[in-house]
Amino acid sequence: MSKRGALRALRALERLAAGLPDGAELYRLRPDGRVLRADRTGGRELGPQDPDSGLLRFIDDRQWAHYFIGDAATSPERPSNATYKLGLVAPHSAFTPHAHGGEHLVLALGPASCGLYDARRRRVVEVRLAPGTLVRIPELMPHSFGNRGGDRLAILAANTGYGIDHEDYAITAEAAERRGEPELAAALREVTAARHPGTVTFRERVAHRLRLAAAALEEGGR
C-alpha cells in the first residue's frame, strides 16, 4: 500500500471512529497485513515500526502480538479464562514448532499454512489456509503456523488459559526434552523437519490483488 493509500485508509477509519464513546476502538485489518487502529481521539497504524504500539514478541523474532483479552501473564494461577490477540507474522516465515498447554484457535487473514502432527498416523499434516480460514488446534498438538505470502500476515489467535509468558504457552522440542516428555519432543521434531510456510499460487496472487483493489474502493468511498 502506498503512503497516500495508507493515509486515505487511516483517515477513513478515523472518520468512522470520531463519534465513538470513550473506550471504544475500531481496527481495520487490511488484506496486505497492515493493521489500523482508531478511537475518537485519532488513529495510527499498529506495527513493529511504532515503538508505542505495545506489541510483544510472539514466540519468535519478527513475529508480534497485541492482546485484546488477557495478557502475557495469563495463567491458571492468574486466569482470564482465555486470551485473544492480534498476531503479525513476517512474510515467508513460520513459527518455531510448538504445542500449547491449552486449546488454540487461529484465524488467518491472508494466505497461510499450518503443519499439524497427527499422533494416530504418526505424521505431519500440512494444511494450506486461505484468507478467512480458522483452524482449531487441540491441547498439546504439535504444530507450526506459517505465512505463505510476501506481505505481513495478520492473524487472530485465541488460547485457553495461558499468556505468552507462561511456560506452557508454547512448548518447543527443547522444552519438552527438559520437561522429560520425549514423545512430545519427538513429535515436535517431526513438525520441525517438515516446517515450510509454502508458496502462493497464481490464482491466490490474482485474488489478493482483487482484495487490495476492493479495500481501496471501500476506503475511498467513505
Side-chain angles (χ1 to χ4, degrees):
M1 180 168 59
S2 66
K3 289 185 177 180
R4 181 180 297 177
L7 184 61
R8 183 173 63 245
L10 184 59
R11 293 293 175 262
L13 192 67
E14 287 176 333
R15 287 194 295 272
L16 281 176
L20 290 176
D22 290 339
E25 295 178 314
L26 291 178
Y27 288 78
R28 173 69 168 161
L29 311 181
R30 302 194 82 257
D32 57 5
R34 300 177 81 158
V35 178
L36 309 176
R37 177 176 64 181
D39 59 20
R40 64 180 303 162
T41 65
R44 67 201 306 174
E45 180 180 351
L46 186 69
Q49 75 285 343
D50 181 359
D52 298 322
S53 63
L55 293 178
L56 303 174
R57 182 178 181 273
F58 192 7
I59 302 177
D60 295 310
D61 291 338
R62 300 173 63 223
Q63 322 292 19
W64 304 93
H66 172 76
Y67 275 85
F68 292 124
I69 297 173
D71 57 40
T74 294
S75 73
E77 293 74 35
R78 187 178 178 278
S80 60
N81 299 319
T83 62
Y84 185 59
K85 57 189 173 294
L86 167 73
L88 301 176
V89 186
H92 301 301
S93 71
F95 286 100
T96 297
H98 56 276
H100 297 292
E103 185 179 21
H104 185 45
L105 298 101
V106 183
L107 174 64
L109 298 175
S113 63
C114 192
L116 301 164
Y117 185 74
D118 185 335
R120 182 174 60 84
R121 291 181 287 182
R122 295 183 178 276
R123 67 182 182 88
V124 179
V125 177
E126 293 288 344
V127 184
R128 293 170 65 91
L129 304 174
T133 307
L134 184 146
V135 57
R136 181 176 184 175
I137 304 171
E139 175 182 336
L140 293 178
M141 178 176 284
H143 63 280
S144 179
F145 199 87
N147 177 5
R148 294 187 289 115
D151 291 323
R152 191 167 63 209
L153 169 68
I155 63 175
L156 295 172
N159 292 71
T160 55
Y162 300 94
I164 55 180
D165 283 352
H166 195 278
E167 62 180 4
D168 287 340
Y169 176 76
I171 306 165
T172 62
E174 292 75 16
E177 287 283 7
R178 292 195 300 270
R179 293 155 61 113
E181 301 178 64
E183 290 188 6
L184 178 58
L188 284 161
R189 290 197 175 92
E190 290 283 337
V191 180
T192 300
R195 180 177 65 152
H196 188 278
T199 57
V200 177
T201 67
F202 173 75
R203 285 187 178 185
E204 288 178 318
R205 288 196 296 272
V206 173
H208 179 62
R209 294 191 187 103
L210 291 173
R211 282 191 292 271
L212 289 173
L217 285 172
E218 290 168 350
E219 292 157 352
R222 290 173 184 161

